[in-house]
Amino acid sequence: MKINVDPACDIQHSGFYLTGFMHLFGEDSIVFSGKHGHTFDHNSDVLPVVLEHADGTGTRLILDYGDSPTYWNSLYEWSDVYEKTNIPEDVYPRYPKSIPIGRGLPMQSFSTAHTLRLGMTNYIKARRRIRNPKRFFSIYKQVEFRCLSHGRFDARGESDTDYVHFVCSQWKNDDMANQVRANFMRAAKSIPGMVFDGGFTPRPDGVDMGYGDLVTNPFEPYDDYMKKTHRSLTVFNNPSVKGCHSWKLNEYLCWGKAIVSPPLLRMLPAPLVDGVHVLYTDGTQEDMVEKIRLIRADAALRKSLEDNARAYYEE
């Protein structure tokens, strides 16, 4: 099997899926080739791929990992199979070639030196479809600093029953999301003997969203964030911009965490079952206090949620 990858792809956001292909078919299976028969411009939301089979036939595959629930119609028409994150259930039946997939993450698929070489060769192959060369090259240069290798990302840690970590941004146009996040923080802080570490990061524009008592330091290195999340008794997920799945959800599943979350708004490859993979909440502070206390008190439930989250990720 050869995986013919569009050289105009976003090497950071495609990294999670490229790493998956390499795990299945080996690193030598990946070929960056412009022979796709399409004219799509460089795009940070989709990964066009042609799967080349042993009999010489090919399958045109689109991996649409963007936040938007809408489809790229030209890409859908080109594809044989259209795999997409964040599909609304009521839209799914109208696109019979589509398959719901899980949320990816920026991931470093290749060594730093190889990644930089790919930046040059892929630009040469796809330069007519790259409208902003400066941005294209910046994506390659930032891979080492913004993305983890699969080996580093894949690690798990032990949870601490007296510690909760959660850090997030404040959204200017979605105060409902800010409110449920604040409710989780205040719920954790209100439980006797529980240490809460985190809060909202300050907005770059300085706008006060009304959560000043929960604002924390402006920056947390990813390695620190990962270690603290590993240690955290429980974690909080909520639908992100446009109702999409957050990157945090995929992190939490991979790291095998006991997840508290409001109901999800978009499809996944299979449902996350309440009490099995996640504990769903109505979003109030009172309900989240109850969920956190339950996870803290019931070691068997906590272990089951953690193991089932990780098993879901691995499937």
Side-chain angles (χ1 to χ4, degrees), residues 25-28 78 91 121 129 148 196 232 250 274 284 314:
F25 305 111
E27 186 170 343
D28 291 342
W78 173 84
V91 172
T121 57
R129 297 186 287 116
L148 289 179
F196 177 75
S232 189
N250 205 19
D274 189 25
T284 63
E314 291 177 344

Side-chain angles (χ1 to χ4, degrees), residues 86-247:
N86 300 310
I87 303 176
E89 286 195 35
D90 60 335
V91 172
Y92 180 53
R94 304 206 301 265
Y95 292 88
K97 292 192 292 185
S98 66
I99 298 173
I101 57 173
R103 181 69 147 149
L105 287 165
M107 186 170 286
Q108 183 171 353
S109 304
F110 309 97
S111 69
T112 300
H114 186 41
T115 299
L116 294 175
R117 287 195 298 270
L118 282 174
M120 294 301 299
T121 57
N122 283 348
Y123 178 75
I124 291 169
K125 292 174 183 177
R127 60 188 179 278
R128 291 185 178 87
R129 297 186 287 116
I130 297 170
R131 306 302 177 189
N132 188 339
K134 184 177 179 180
R135 181 173 179 273
F136 179 83
F137 283 118
S138 72
I139 290 171
Y140 279 84
K141 288 190 291 185
Q142 293 169 5
V143 163
E144 183 179 11
F145 306 104
R146 296 187 61 184
C147 305
L148 289 179
S149 67
H150 181 263
R152 290 178 64 206
F153 178 76
D154 204 43
R156 293 181 67 181
E158 293 294 325
S159 57
D160 180 342
T161 56
D162 296 327
Y163 176 83
V164 170
H165 174 262
F166 180 65
V167 65
C168 62
S169 57
Q170 302 173 77
W171 293 346
K172 194 170 183 179
N173 298 316
D174 192 345
D175 196 54
M176 180 64 71
N178 294 335
Q179 185 60 59
V180 295
R181 290 172 166 190
N183 287 347
F184 177 79
M185 297 176 198
R186 290 180 174 130
K189 288 166 72 77
S190 72
I191 297 174
M194 183 70 72
V195 175
F196 177 75
D197 180 9
F200 287 113
T201 57
R203 285 188 56 83
D205 59 11
V207 172
D208 181 0
M209 300 299 298
Y211 301 97
D213 60 314
L214 296 171
V215 172
T216 185
N217 295 326
F219 176 74
E220 183 173 77
Y222 194 82
D223 278 344
D224 291 349
Y225 163 79
M226 182 168 59
K227 291 173 184 176
K228 290 178 179 181
T229 305
H230 285 172
R231 180 186 168 196
S232 189
L233 165 70
T234 182
V235 291
F236 182 70
N237 170 75
N238 66 296
S240 188
V241 61
K242 303 177 184 177
C244 73
H245 299 305
S246 68
W247 284 358

